[in-house]
Amino acid sequence: MSNTTSRPATVLSVRDLSIDARTPSGLKRILDGISFDLAAGETLCLAGESGSGKSVTSLAIMGLLPKASLRVASGEIRLGEIDLLRLSERAMRQVRGGDVAMIFQEPMTSLNPVMTVGTQLVEAIREHQDTANAEDVARRMLDAVRIRDPTRRMTQYPHELSGGMRQRVMIAMALSCRPKVLIADEPTTALDVTVQAQILKLMRELKQEFGTSIVMITHDMGVVAEIADRVVIMQNGKTVEQGDVLEIFRRPAAAYTRELLAAVPRLGTYAGTDQPPRVSSAPVRPHFPKPVLEVSDLTVTYAGKSGWFGRGAEAQPTVKGISFRLQAGQTLGLVGESGSGKSTTGKAVLGLIPFKGSVRIDGQDIAGLSARAMQPIRRTAQMIFQDPYASLDPRMNVGTAIAEPLVIHNIDNASERRDRVAALLKRVGLTPDAAERYPHEFSGGQRQRICIARALALEPKLLIADESVAALDVSVRARVLDLMLELQEQMGLAYLFISHDMAVIEKMAHSVAVMRDGELVEMGTRRQVFEEQRDSYTRELIGAVPIPDPEVYRRNLRS
């Protein structure tokens, strides 16, 4: 959509919207004078990191701001001639879901787990349409979002569907009443890259089919490039810049926009080499070709459930006889979609779940070891999980959390532990006074740095990073990845880096193992896997990575 041509009619207009948060010390401005217009048939992206005000803006449009903690200080939100901020709650309920609908990031929290998919769809349709054939409409909508066998799916419960399928159900529910505006709040962030690509393609097709205008909220400029006509860049509750997506990507005016664009992983950046980029001028710690981790014929089997109390079910292997080696100072990227078995592999390697086969950590086979016998080995191998907030005890200050492994292993006295905690915090780019604060006082990226510091407390040789940056904003993700590369250079750490994102794997890994349905379908050096891939599934994962260039997408759509 070009600025030189006349724009279609405006469907939604936000003018000088400001929102205050109620805090113990008084009102605090968290959204300051936001303005934008959404044209008919247009996709407008609100882009920025966590805390920029994107989601608060969407909640204000939907009339869903929590009145106890947030209030609109000024501004207006117009849907056509109607100022949504002046509507009563009863009138707003007719608008919400009818004229304006919303898709949230995590569909499992938006769907009722005790109601079938069909019941929830029919309920939403009958709320806004006087129709006797709501079930037929629901079935047609499931078909419209490319869900096969919609009649059977309507009888299923949300937990019986995959993440991508649940998100398709949410899109079907949102579009069932033909809204003028569809707000999508990070609808693909929790999805694998291949499923994300499918959902974004589906949204483009449905926009053409239904003529719905879309407000897409995202922190990922790769997603912006793929789907947006125009973009509003937000930071700390303010608009940094806005305009046509091609103009923003070609000539970003703001330094913050340039930072967001630079943070998007680009495939091919490290072509022709098996070495991750240097990110520090410090001397690289030499490493030797000694395996820190040797996995042979690893098999993990979970019992299925059927019949009364889950009895009589045949055991189902989740990981099927895989083998690999990892040397000191090296990173093995373990990549695949949800359900491929990669996270199960990571847990088995640390002895957190039962397994068959052989796992040797620093030369010692851990198969069959008791919890007591495993304790010394945990000094050698540690894990960093996906959600840093869930990994930290909210009642425990940061210093105590980092020192806890030292206490468990009876290392140092109290004074020495305090000194070691201060040194660890500085090593991961935080100040020593952070030790006195609690997890909720930090951003997501800072919390992940704290988890890394905690994992380093015992001076391990091996770190298993299970989707350790998947939940972070792209710019924060880039900083955490650089930190991990720097620590590897300085400490000679070995990483088993688990991810579904091929762009992240390309940056971090020396070698790559691709998993699908519990098996390794391809394994080799980074150059071999990314430049000479043999398996079609590997090519599919690589092809699904968003390209931060809207011209590429528009050219592909025309061809």
Side-chain angles (χ1 to χ4, degrees), residues 55 58 62 64 100-107 110 145 166-175 179 181-188 191 199 202-203 206 212 214-217:
S55 293
S58 69
M62 293 294 293
L64 293 174
V100 184
M102 190 165 182
I103 309 166
F104 295 93
Q105 176 175 338
E106 178 45 67
S110 305
V145 298
R166 286 195 293 264
Q167 198 60 285
R168 288 171 187 263
V169 170
M170 289 301 303
I171 294 171
M173 192 177 296
L175 291 176
V181 176
L182 176 64
I183 300 173
D185 188 0
E186 300 275 13
T188 62
L191 304 177
I199 294 296
L202 173 66
M203 293 185 71
L206 292 174
T212 305
I214 298 174
V215 177
M216 170 72 82
I217 295 169

Side-chain angles (χ1 to χ4, degrees), residues 124-142:
I125 294 165
R126 285 178 176 159
E127 177 71 20
H128 296 280
Q129 296 183 41
D130 184 18
T131 178
N133 60 339
E135 290 190 8
D136 291 338
V137 174
R139 200 172 291 107
R140 287 199 300 271
M141 288 309 304
L142 289 179

Side-chain angles (χ1 to χ4, degrees), residues 402 406 419-429 453-454 456-457:
I402 294 174
L406 302 173
D419 291 342
R420 189 182 289 215
V421 166
L424 286 165
L425 286 168
K426 285 194 285 188
R427 172 156 253 168
V428 298
R454 190 174 191 264
L456 293 176

Side-chain angles (χ1 to χ4, degrees), residues 345-353 355 359 361 366 374 377-378 381-383 385 462 464:
T345 299
K347 292 173 185 174
V349 162
L350 275 183
L352 299 177
I353 56 175
F355 65 88
V359 174
I361 296 177
I366 69 168
M374 276 296 299
I377 294 172
R378 302 215 188 282
Q382 288 283 303
M383 196 162 194
F385 294 94
L462 168 66
I464 299 170

Side-chain angles (χ1 to χ4, degrees), residues 22 69 228 321:
R22 296 180 174 90
S69 57

